[in-house]
Amino acid sequence: MSDDRPSVTLTFVACLLCWVLCYVYSTGFPPEKDEMTMPLWALAGRFFSNGLFACSAGLFMATVVAYVMQRICDMEMLIQRRTRLPFMLLLLLISTNVGLLPVKEVTVISVCFVFVLYELFKTYQSPVAAGVFFNVGALTGFAGLFMPQVLWFIPLLWMGMYRFRSLSLKNFMGLLAGVFTVYWIVSAWCLWKHDYYMFVSLYNGLTNFKILPAEIFQYDRMGFFVFLLFFVLSFFHVRMDMYNNRVRVHRILSFLLDMSVWSLLLVLLYGDDSESFQMLLYLPSSVLIAYFLENIGRRWRFVLYYLMLLSWLASFILRIWRF
C-alpha cells in the first residue's frame, strides 16, 4: 500500500529534507517585495526575515492545510476507504515546490481557503446558512488582502452554493456581506490614514494578466509536468467514476473538479503568480489524485505514488541548485 507506515515515514522524511535544504540554501527569505506586493503582506513579511522562523512557520501552515484537507475527506467520506493519501500528497506537493518555500502570501491564503472549503461543504442542502456564508465571504475577503486575484474565486463559490442546493437570497447576501465587511474595515483605515494605496494595489493585482512564462517549460520543472499528468488522469477518472457515489459525495467531487479547472485557468492567466495559484490547485488535486490511486490496483498504486515522490523530489533538488 502507498499509505502504510514505511510510506508515511518516507514521505515525512522527504518533506523534511526539502525544508532543511530550503533553510540551508536560504531559499525565499527574506521575502521578496516589488511594486505588486500588497501592503498587508509587506508588513507581515517583516516577521519572516529570520530563516529558521520562516521555515518553521511555513512548515506548520503547510501541515495545517494538509491536515484540514484530510479531515474534510474523512468527514465527507470522499474516498471509500480511510486513507492518509490526501494529507501525504498535499504536504509533498507543497514541500517540493521551491517557489512556495518557506512562506509566501499564498501560504496564508491556502490556510483561509481550506477553512472556506470546510465551511462550504457543511452547507449542503442548507438554504438558511447565512452565518456560515458570512464566514466564507470574510475568509475570502481577508485572503484578497494578501493576493487580490483570489477574489476571482467568488463566482466559483456561487457555483458551489448552486451545486450544494444552498443558493438562496439570504445565503447569497451573507457571502457578499462577509466580503464587503472586510473591505469596509479597510476603507475606514484608508480614510483615517488618508492613504488609498491598498485599493490601488487591489485593482493592479486583479488586472495584472500575464501569459505563462517560458521558464515553466524548463527541464528542472519536470515535477510540475508529472503533477499535470497525474492531475489529468485523476480528473477524467473522477469525472467518470463519481456517479457511483452518494449524491452528496458526487456533488462535492464535482465542485473539486470545478475548483481545479478554475485554479488551472488562473495559473495560465497570471503567469507571474503561477506558482501561487499552483498551491491553490494542489488543494482539490490532492483529493482527486488520492481518489484515483485508491481505485486502481494495489501494485500500481505503490508504483505510481513512489514515481510521483521521486520525480517531485528530483525536481526540487534541481531547482534549488539553480535558485
Side-chain angles (χ1 to χ4, degrees):
M1 298 194 315
S2 55
D3 61 343
D4 55 11
R5 184 170 296 179
S7 298
V8 173
T9 303
L10 185 59
T11 300
F12 274 113
V13 169
C15 292
L16 189 60
L17 174 64
C18 293
W19 289 93
V20 169
L21 289 175
C22 170
Y23 174 72
V24 170
Y25 283 86
S26 300
T27 304
F29 51 81
E32 296 180 359
K33 300 176 184 177
D34 55 31
E35 66 278 4
M36 299 304 297
T37 301
M38 294 295 292
L40 188 59
W41 176 245
L43 178 64
R46 299 175 186 175
F47 297 99
F48 301 111
S49 57
N50 179 272
L52 182 59
F53 177 75
C55 285
S56 301
L59 179 57
F60 173 76
M61 285 189 277
T63 305
V64 169
V65 170
Y67 173 76
V68 175
M69 283 304 298
Q70 179 68 57
R71 285 289 299 159
I72 290 173
C73 286
D74 292 341
M75 292 173 60
E76 302 294 343
M77 294 184 288
L78 300 181
I79 302 175
Q80 292 182 355
R81 65 178 292 270
R82 294 183 68 87
T83 174
R84 288 165 287 191
L85 275 176
F87 175 85
M88 295 162 61
L89 286 167
L90 185 51
L91 186 61
L92 191 61
L93 281 165
I94 296 172
S95 300
T96 54
N97 191 329
V98 176
L100 300 177
L101 302 186
V103 59
K104 306 291 183 183
E105 302 101 312
V106 74
T107 309
V108 179
I109 292 166
S110 63
V111 175
C112 295
F113 258 74
V114 289
F115 285 105
V116 164
L117 295 178
Y118 181 81
E119 293 286 301
L120 181 64
F121 294 161
K122 289 195 306 184
T123 64
Y124 180 74
Q125 291 186 338
S126 300
V128 184
V132 176
F133 281 108
F134 179 87
N135 296 336
V136 169
L139 284 169
T140 307
F142 179 74
L145 297 180
F146 290 89
M147 197 170 75
Q149 297 93 322
V150 300
L151 295 177
W152 292 120
F153 279 92
I154 292 177
L156 178 70
L157 298 177
W158 293 337
M159 292 169 57
M161 294 167 69
Y162 175 77
R163 282 195 179 277
F164 301 148
R165 298 178 182 176
S166 57
L167 182 59
S168 65
L169 181 59
K170 285 186 177 181
N171 290 349
F172 183 84
M173 296 305 296
L175 191 148
L176 289 181
V179 176
F180 288 144
T181 297
V182 174
Y183 293 101
W184 286 334
I185 296 172
V186 173
S187 300
W189 174 264
C190 291
L191 285 171
W192 184 44
K193 290 291 186 178
H194 300 288
D195 182 2
Y196 304 97
Y197 180 66
M198 175 71 77
F199 284 98
V200 174
S201 301
L202 284 170
Y203 175 78
N204 291 337
L206 284 171
T207 57
N208 185 36
F209 296 109
K210 290 186 179 180
I211 200 159
L212 200 63
E215 289 80 7
I216 196 70
F217 302 106
Q218 294 179 355
Y219 71 92
D220 60 346
R221 304 293 183 99
M222 65 177 180
F224 179 65
F225 294 109
V226 172
F227 163 73
L228 282 182
L229 173 62
F230 281 95
F231 166 72
V232 171
L233 290 174
S234 305
F235 182 91
F236 287 105
H237 173 80
V238 174
R239 175 67 68 185
M240 292 183 293
D241 187 71
M242 65 182 180
Y243 296 98
N244 298 324
N245 295 293
R246 294 180 296 112
V247 175
R248 179 173 180 138
V249 173
H250 170 216
R251 291 184 180 273
I252 292 176
L253 289 174
S254 296
F255 176 80
L256 292 176
L257 291 172
D258 293 340
M259 182 179 176
S260 63
V261 173
W262 202 274
S263 302
L264 190 57
L265 289 175
L266 291 175
V267 169
L268 299 175
L269 287 174
Y270 290 101
D272 286 351
D273 297 308
S274 61
E275 286 185 306
S276 296
F277 286 105
Q278 284 177 36
M279 187 164 184
L280 298 180
L281 175 60
Y282 293 158
L283 298 181
S285 299
S286 61
V287 179
L288 301 180
I289 295 175
Y291 186 98
F292 167 66
L293 292 177
E294 286 298 330
N295 282 275
I296 61 177
R298 184 173 178 177
R299 184 174 301 175
W300 276 107
R301 186 189 315 147
F302 179 88
V303 172
L304 293 179
Y305 180 79
Y306 279 97
L307 173 63
M308 287 187 289
L309 190 153
L310 292 174
S311 63
W312 294 340
L313 190 59
S315 179
F316 175 87
I317 293 173
L318 287 173
R319 286 191 65 191
I320 204 168
W321 279 344
R322 294 186 55 187
F323 201 87

